[in-house]
Amino acid sequence: MTERNRNPLPNDKVSLLDDPRGFEVYNRDLVRKVFPRIINETLDIVYAGRQRKPEIRDIVAFYFTLQSYIDGNHLRSDGTLNDRFGACFISYETLMSTLRIDRSRIKLLADILETNGIIRTATRYEGTRRFKWYFPSYCPRITDDGYIVDEEGTVIEPDLSIYGSVTRRNARHSA
């Protein structure tokens, strides 16, 4: 194996990236621009003037938990394409115990990430069991004001009505 030419990396990052156990890097602009925008929109626009505001900062831990459970195997052991490649198919129970949040908060956080173009979701069935698969984006293109740019070059404008609690959204839809 030849030594790769690369710029010096800070601290122990070289060890992390060269480790064969599959460590990943993250998009700094996602943390510096996108998540602060989402948090500010939630607290300053959607929940402005309300005394009780959601713990929207959980969205960062939720996103990185999804990233941590992505299936990175392009092929199955039999050599066929893996339809779960790039998907996180972590159970609600694991998410609830890992993050110590309830089921409705998981749905809310996933909906907010999805309306912002940070993840896409798919429902899969195995027999009669239903599973939610999450496909987190690494968000390679982000505007200076913290919006995701999709593959076609379109800036994704989130639907802020999604930011309301699941209970509030259900009440609005049934009215």
Side-chain angles (χ1 to χ4, degrees):
M1 183 181 219
T2 61
E3 184 64 29
R4 293 179 287 194
N5 292 330
R6 63 177 163 204
N7 292 332
L9 298 170
N11 306 328
D12 55 357
K13 192 171 185 178
V14 169
S15 301
L16 183 69
L17 293 176
D18 290 344
D19 193 305
R21 291 179 288 176
F23 294 103
E24 299 284 344
V25 295
Y26 69 94
N27 185 329
R28 290 186 204 172
D29 282 344
L30 187 66
V31 176
R32 292 177 178 173
K33 296 177 182 178
V34 178
F35 286 131
R37 178 190 53 79
I38 292 170
I39 291 167
N40 290 332
E41 284 174 348
T42 303
L43 299 177
D44 299 341
I45 298 170
V46 178
Y47 287 87
R50 293 198 175 98
Q51 284 190 324
R52 186 160 185 190
K53 299 182 189 230
E55 288 297 326
I56 191 62
R57 292 176 298 274
D58 291 343
I59 204 162
V60 179
F62 179 71
Y63 170 80
F64 282 109
T65 299
L66 295 179
Q67 285 282 7
S68 299
Y69 285 89
I70 288 177
D71 186 340
N73 298 310
H74 187 254
L75 300 174
R76 293 189 175 120
S77 58
D78 65 2
T80 60
L81 288 177
N82 179 6
D83 61 341
R84 298 190 320 188
F85 177 65
C88 169
F89 46 93
I90 189 171
S91 70
Y92 271 88
E93 290 73 23
T94 302
L95 283 167
M96 290 184 319
S97 67
T98 301
L99 298 172
R100 305 215 27 188
I101 59 177
D102 65 39
R103 183 178 291 268
S104 64
R105 297 239 331 110
I106 292 169
K107 172 144 179 43
L108 174 64
L109 296 174
D111 289 348
I112 292 171
L113 288 176
E114 192 164 25
T115 194
N116 278 280
I118 300 170
I119 67 170
R120 67 180 174 80
T121 61
T123 302
R124 299 282 197 250
Y125 290 89
E126 291 180 17
T128 59
R129 292 196 56 182
R130 184 175 73 148
F131 295 91
K132 180 72 91 174
W133 287 6
Y134 305 94
F135 292 86
S137 169
Y138 290 91
C139 307
R141 297 188 311 180
I142 297 171
T143 65
D144 288 339
D145 53 352
Y147 291 90
I148 305 299
V149 179
D150 69 14
E151 296 82 26
E152 288 83 38
T154 304
V155 174
I156 298 173
E157 293 283 338
D159 175 0
L160 295 184
S161 71
I162 299 294
Y163 287 42
S165 72
V166 174
T167 309
R168 284 181 45 223
R169 288 193 326 241
N170 289 342
R172 255 193 315 241
H173 293 313
S174 64

